[in-house]
């Protein structure tokens, strides 16, 4: 999963090198907004839970979670936020929660609500 996410990040067009558009594009990659990413998000939730009790899964979990955290850090840098660990912890936690809510609310609802929530969060960080 981590390589897939990194590939998606690398494939982002360079037309939005910085700013809120880049931050939104990066963070949107973390959300299960399409049929390809929904199963990945399900695996991530299961991996997170299993890694709590299965030490052999913890390195895999740390790699995926570290990749998610790195994307959050890239998004903050796009917004001009650098070196603020609390902001990074907040955004990382927020994105995990938003992804879980998207999964729990089912496929029948348009994901536009989640993008509106993401946009509101970006405003908190100056985006």
């Amino acid at each position: 999963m981590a390589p897939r996410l990194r590939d998606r990040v690398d494939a982002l067009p360079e037309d939005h090198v910085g700013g809120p558009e880049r931050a939104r594009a990066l963070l949107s990659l973390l959300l299960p907004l399409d049929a390809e990413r929904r199963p990945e998000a399900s695996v991530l939730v299961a991996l997170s839970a299993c890694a709590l009790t299965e030490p052999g899964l913890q390195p895999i979990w740390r790699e995926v979670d570290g990749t998610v955290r790195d994307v959050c850090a890239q998004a903050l840098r796009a917004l001009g936020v650098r070196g603020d660990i609390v902001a990074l912890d907040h955004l990382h936690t927020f994105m995990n929660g938003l992804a879980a809510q998207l999964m729990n609310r089912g496929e029948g609802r348009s994901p536009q609500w989640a993008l509106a929530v993401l946009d509101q969060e970006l405003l908190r960080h100056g985006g």
Side-chain angles (χ1 to χ4, degrees), residues 16-90:
H16 299 306
V17 176
E21 295 87 12
R22 177 73 176 182
R24 186 181 200 255
L26 285 163
L27 295 173
S28 294
L29 296 175
L30 301 176
L31 298 174
L33 297 172
D34 58 33
E36 177 184 341
R37 288 184 269 166
R38 284 189 69 75
E40 289 177 8
S42 296
V43 169
L44 185 59
V45 169
L47 177 61
S48 174
C50 291
L52 292 172
T53 59
E54 295 292 330
L57 294 176
Q58 290 175 5
I60 299 166
W61 165 245
R62 282 193 295 274
E63 179 187 7
V64 174
D65 191 56
T67 301
V68 168
R69 188 172 181 83
D70 182 59
V71 172
C72 291
Q74 288 180 51
L76 286 174
R77 284 192 301 272
L79 295 170
V81 178
R82 288 176 166 68
D84 187 338
I85 298 300
V86 174
L88 179 55
D89 288 340
H90 173 87

Side-chain angles (χ1 to χ4, degrees), residues 86-98:
V86 174
L88 179 55
D89 288 340
H90 173 87
L91 185 58
H92 186 185
T93 302
F94 171 84
M95 292 305 297
N96 284 336
L98 186 55

